[in-house]
Amino acid sequence: MSAGRRSGLSNRGVWIAILLVSLVLAGVVSFYAASTPDGLTKVSEDQGFARTETTHESDGSPLAGYQTDGVANGRLSGGLAGVAGVLVVLALGSGVMLLVRRRPHGGEADAEADAPDSERV
Amino acid sequence: MHVPNGFLDAPTSVATGVVAAGAIGLALRGARRELDDRTAPMAGLVAAFVFATQMLNFPVGAGTSGHLLGGAIAAVLVGPWTAILCTSVVFVVQALLFADGGITALGTNIDLMGLSTVLVGWCVFRGLQAVMPKRTSLVPVQAGLGAFVSVPVAALLFTALYAVGGTADIPLDKLAAAMVGVHLLIGIGEGIITALAVGSIIAVRPDLVYGARRILRARELEIRPAATSGASS
């Protein structure tokens, strides 16, 4: 795949960059996100069906509402929740991908998918 | 666009849950063809990135806001089957840990914000790719347009679900107009963020972008017989 490469950035370099960007967005930038109601919430208020919303089963979660339980500082509370979320999603997402790749059967698909490995840098 | 508990009745929520489970089942098989040693680590990271950007509500007009849904960007970066898995992971974590999007509405949210934006985003993206010049520099534009279209379509789909199983008796034409109106604006944000993010990766490692590989492969095949023409980029 050398034709596709325009820089010396390695696979690992790109992966770390995406992770860092995600952590900064969720951990820091999220504090500055708009706090006005989201599109559907606003429409439900305007159209008069917001009242049909019922309680959430996870309201007691320590991270409910993207805030960390027991952390008073809003910036820290939201930031921690964001970082925790990114890491949990990364772990769960990567786990699913590992499972998908590991499942036996379908050897022909594996052979095809593994072909580019020889070109890895 | 996270649907809370209570907006849709139980039969509709069960039906959307069945659709979501079926889609995830198919995606678990389909993703095998998309995942190799380079894309598998990308997939987990793309899920994390989508989660992060969903925390970033941007203002759209009067007193409302929106955030990235992420199906289109995930599909272009890691492939549509894998994207269904990525977005589903995000919605599961949001519902279970962050109380964002009801648990009885989890299937609805996976269908609306994941499945539908992946399908629409990917189809628009591939359609544009088929008719536009085969250049990797166009991939971010095509991805952005796919992302833009996917958001109002998801809003329409919500309206359709509400028509079937909404728990309040409200005029559906007004609901459709309000949903599509605000989500056209959110779609613009979705398109811009998608184009910028895909563009950043295309700029350094286009081969890591699933949606660009077809073009890269075609180019490699073309270059060899005519190596002197200097056709690169």
Side-chain angles (χ1 to χ4, degrees), chain A residues 56-61 63-66, chain B residues 93-102:
Chain A
H56 198 291
E57 304 86 342
S58 310
D59 276 340
S61 156
L63 296 174
Y66 299 91
Chain B
V93 171
Q94 286 172 335
L96 293 180
L97 282 185
F98 295 91
D100 191 13

Side-chain angles (χ1 to χ4, degrees), chain B residues 125-135 138 141-142 145:
Chain B
F125 172 78
R126 287 290 301 132
L128 290 171
Q129 219 173 26
V131 297
M132 289 166 80
K134 308 287 178 281
R135 294 214 306 265
L138 290 174
V141 178
Q142 294 152 345
L145 288 169

Side-chain angles (χ1 to χ4, degrees), chain B residues 77-92:
Chain B
L77 289 179
V78 293
W81 290 118
T82 311
I84 291 172
L85 300 178
C86 290
T87 50
S88 299
V89 165
V90 171
F91 300 127
V92 167

Side-chain angles (χ1 to χ4, degrees), chain A residues 1 3-7 9-11 14-15 18-19 21-22 25-26 29-30 33-34 36-40 42-44 47-59 61 63-66 78 81-82 84-86 88-90 92-94 96-97 100-106 109-110 113-114 116-117 120, chain B residues 1-7 28-29 31-32 35-38 40-45 47-49 51-53 55-59 62-65 82 85-86 89-90 93-104 136 158 162 167-168 170 174-175 178-179 182-183 186 201 203-208 216 220:
Chain A
M1 282 295 153
R5 299 194 54 163
R6 288 183 195 168
S7 73
L9 214 51
S10 64
N11 287 348
V14 174
W15 297 337
I18 297 176
L19 178 60
V21 167
S22 304
L25 290 180
V29 183
S30 63
T36 45
D38 147 275
L40 173 61
K42 180 74 161 70
V43 169
S44 73
Q47 305 291 316
F49 63 98
R51 62 188 155 75
T52 60
E53 176 173 348
T54 54
T55 53
H56 198 291
E57 304 86 342
S58 310
D59 276 340
S61 156
L63 296 174
Y66 299 91
V86 165
V88 169
V89 168
L90 176 66
L92 199 58
S94 304
V96 170
M97 301 313 155
V100 169
R101 294 206 64 204
R102 240 188 231 161
R103 283 204 308 187
H105 100 86
D110 277 347
D114 289 343
D117 289 359
R120 272 204 317 150
Chain B
M1 203 191 290
H2 289 72
V3 179
N5 289 323
F7 275 16
L28 284 170
R29 296 178 60 88
R32 291 172 57 80
L35 293 171
D36 58 34
D37 279 356
R38 277 176 307 162
M42 277 289 279
L45 287 163
F49 179 77
F51 173 86
T53 51
M55 286 183 74
L56 307 179
N57 276 62
F58 47 84
T64 183
S65 68
T82 311
L85 300 178
C86 290
V89 165
V90 171
V93 171
Q94 286 172 335
L96 293 180
L97 282 185
F98 295 91
D100 191 13
I103 289 180
T104 61
T136 50
F158 171 81
Y162 207 87
T167 51
I170 53 164
K174 285 173 90 175
L175 175 63
M179 280 301 284
V182 65
H183 287 95
I186 297 173
I201 301 179
V204 292
R205 287 290 302 276
D207 59 310
L208 286 181
L216 293 173
E220 274 178 72

